[in-house]
Amino acid sequence: MSDPKIRNMEDFAAVSGISRPTVSKYFNDPHSVRQSTREKIEAALKEHNYRPNIYAVNQNRRQTKNIGLVVPNLTDPFFAGIARTIEGLIVKAGFNPLLLSSHGGPEQEISNLDSLRSIKPAAVLLAPLGRASLDAQVAEFASEVPTVLFDANLDNIGEAFFGSDNDQSVSLIVDYLCRSGEPPAFFEVGTPINPNAYKRRSAYQAAMERLGHEPHLIQVNGEGWNFEEIGFREGTRVLTSRRLPTNTILCSNDRLAIGLLSAAYENGIQVGLAEGDSLRIAGHDDHPFSRFTCPSLTTVSQNYDAIAARSVETALLLIESNERLKTREETLFEGKLEMRGSA
């Protein structure tokens, strides 16, 4: 006869000859039991090929080992990259990351938070949609579950926010573009979905005025997260109109810039710094693909590693102390200029 199927921890305790409380203690912390007991349990695990349902185990704890991670859109390589970094830090700390994507929709963002609420996470790291977020419902969730925001801020929601200093980073690249050529126009979606875009617009205007130049906004139509498509479609329209106020364009983000680079190529417009090039294009974010465009994209890098590390560190502090922060923390990290071939 084949070995009976082990369905739960009670079955495993029975076949291994170890008490259920001791088995549970082992799964909570393997080093909390004697070495001889630990070796016996691990031998039984291997013999019976048993793996406990970690989420079910967590549900029985007063404080679970699950940490939720919600991002706006995992098809965006920026969010995929920072999520991968955060997941690694969570695992290293001994917790289980639960990654969910809001797919650019506010209802899905709330649905993700509701799903996390049902499994009692120890904390949640949230990169909110921003302007599209349903603030009241996000705030309600954050009042129940320790929540740390990153990338985009929602006023007075969550225990802390960590993101990029858009004033510093945009000023940095505007200074460079003005110093190295014609002052830039600012290419953006007229009604952006992310609050960072508004901050970058304001930072561009302030930097241009500080340097004694007139700001020029190129505001285009577009909705959703298909920034490359918007940059290509609207960039084609703008470039073929031949009415640019300058030969330098600073895009609100790298994905728009990638679309604009493609539009320039399709219309026979040479981009870069070489003699004969008629247009300079720059972006913001240091998107993973920005080094591999043609020409490579001049941009400002966000300090992804610092944002990820500080976000996880704060979540772990909230879990360990089992207390909320007395004052909401907001920390912005400076960007770094990445000078490449496009500008």
Side-chain angles (χ1 to χ4, degrees):
M1 294 180 64
S2 60
D3 293 337
K5 183 177 181 181
I6 300 176
R7 295 165 298 181
N8 51 44
M9 207 174 296
E10 284 76 10
D11 289 351
F12 176 73
V15 299
S16 63
I18 300 169
S19 70
R20 171 65 172 79
T22 300
V23 170
S24 179
K25 189 177 180 182
Y26 168 85
F27 285 120
N28 284 330
D29 179 6
H31 295 285
S32 64
V33 300
R34 288 181 299 181
Q35 182 177 349
S36 58
T37 304
R38 184 166 66 249
E39 292 173 353
K40 185 176 181 181
I41 292 173
E42 289 170 353
L45 286 171
K46 185 176 181 180
E47 178 184 354
H48 299 287
N49 194 28
Y50 173 66
R51 291 294 179 271
N53 184 332
I54 295 299
Y55 300 118
V57 171
N58 282 334
Q59 287 298 89
N60 293 324
R61 293 177 177 166
R62 187 171 184 179
Q63 184 184 77
T64 76
K65 298 289 284 184
N66 301 324
I67 294 180
L69 173 57
V70 181
V71 298
N73 201 319
L74 276 173
T75 62
D76 187 321
F78 162 68
F79 288 113
I82 196 169
R84 183 169 60 249
T85 300
I86 289 175
E87 279 188 309
L89 293 171
I90 291 173
V91 170
K92 186 176 180 180
F95 286 80
N96 310 304
L98 304 176
L99 175 60
L100 299 171
S101 171
S102 298
H103 303 295
E107 292 80 13
Q108 184 61 49
E109 183 173 78
I110 299 303
S111 177
N112 288 338
L113 296 179
D114 287 341
S115 296
L116 289 171
R117 182 191 278 116
S118 69
I119 59 170
K120 299 187 294 187
V124 167
L125 299 169
L126 169 65
L129 297 173
R131 186 179 65 86
S133 291
L134 302 175
D135 289 17
Q137 294 182 56
V138 176
E140 180 184 0
F141 174 86
S143 70
E144 300 173 13
V145 178
T147 302
V148 175
L149 272 57
F150 67 97
D151 183 63
N153 199 4
L154 299 177
D155 290 342
N156 301 315
I157 295 178
E159 301 298 303
F161 166 70
F162 302 103
S164 294
D165 186 341
N166 289 295
D167 288 337
Q168 178 269 342
S169 59
V170 172
S171 178
L172 185 67
I173 196 164
V174 169
D175 283 351
Y176 165 73
L177 293 172
C178 290
R179 189 172 67 248
S180 57
E182 291 187 16
F186 191 69
F187 185 86
E188 64 169 346
V189 178
T191 307
I193 60 177
N194 190 298
N196 286 323
Y198 288 103
K199 294 176 181 177
R200 292 174 190 175
R201 176 197 299 167
S202 298
Y204 160 78
Q205 292 172 315
M208 291 287 283
E209 291 168 359
R210 174 176 54 80
L211 294 170
H213 301 299
E214 181 182 357
H216 293 285
L217 299 179
I218 303 174
Q219 297 182 319
V220 301
N221 297 321
E223 294 183 359
W225 290 83
N226 297 321
F227 293 114
E228 294 88 356
E229 179 184 342
I230 295 169
F232 177 79
R233 183 188 68 241
E234 295 298 305
T236 297
R237 181 180 59 79
V238 168
L239 294 176
T240 55
S241 72
R242 305 293 179 180
R243 295 178 184 175
L244 288 175
T246 171
N247 72 355
T248 303
I249 300 178
L250 172 60
C251 296
S252 179
N253 63 59
D254 284 351
R255 294 181 61 192
L256 282 173
I258 290 170
L260 184 60
L261 281 172
S262 181
Y265 176 82
E266 289 291 324
N267 287 278
I269 300 172
Q270 291 182 256
V271 177
L273 300 169
E275 185 177 349
D277 292 341
S278 57
L279 185 66
R280 296 194 302 160
I281 294 174
H284 191 291
D285 292 339
D286 198 20
H287 184 286
F289 298 163
S290 63
R291 287 172 290 174
F292 308 109
T293 57
C294 189
S296 56
L297 182 64
T298 291
T299 184
V300 181
S301 62
Q302 296 190 54
N303 195 341
Y304 304 144
D305 289 343
I307 292 171
R310 193 65 176 275
S311 298
V312 174
E313 177 185 309
T314 302
L316 295 174
L317 175 65
L318 292 167
I319 295 168
E320 183 178 352
S321 67
N322 199 28
E323 294 180 358
R324 298 301 182 94
L325 299 180
K326 293 180 180 178
T327 304
R328 186 178 191 266
E329 181 181 356
E330 291 190 15
T331 300
L332 302 178
F333 295 89
E334 292 188 348
K336 177 185 175 185
L337 181 63
E338 304 289 349
M339 294 179 288
R340 300 190 181 117
S342 69

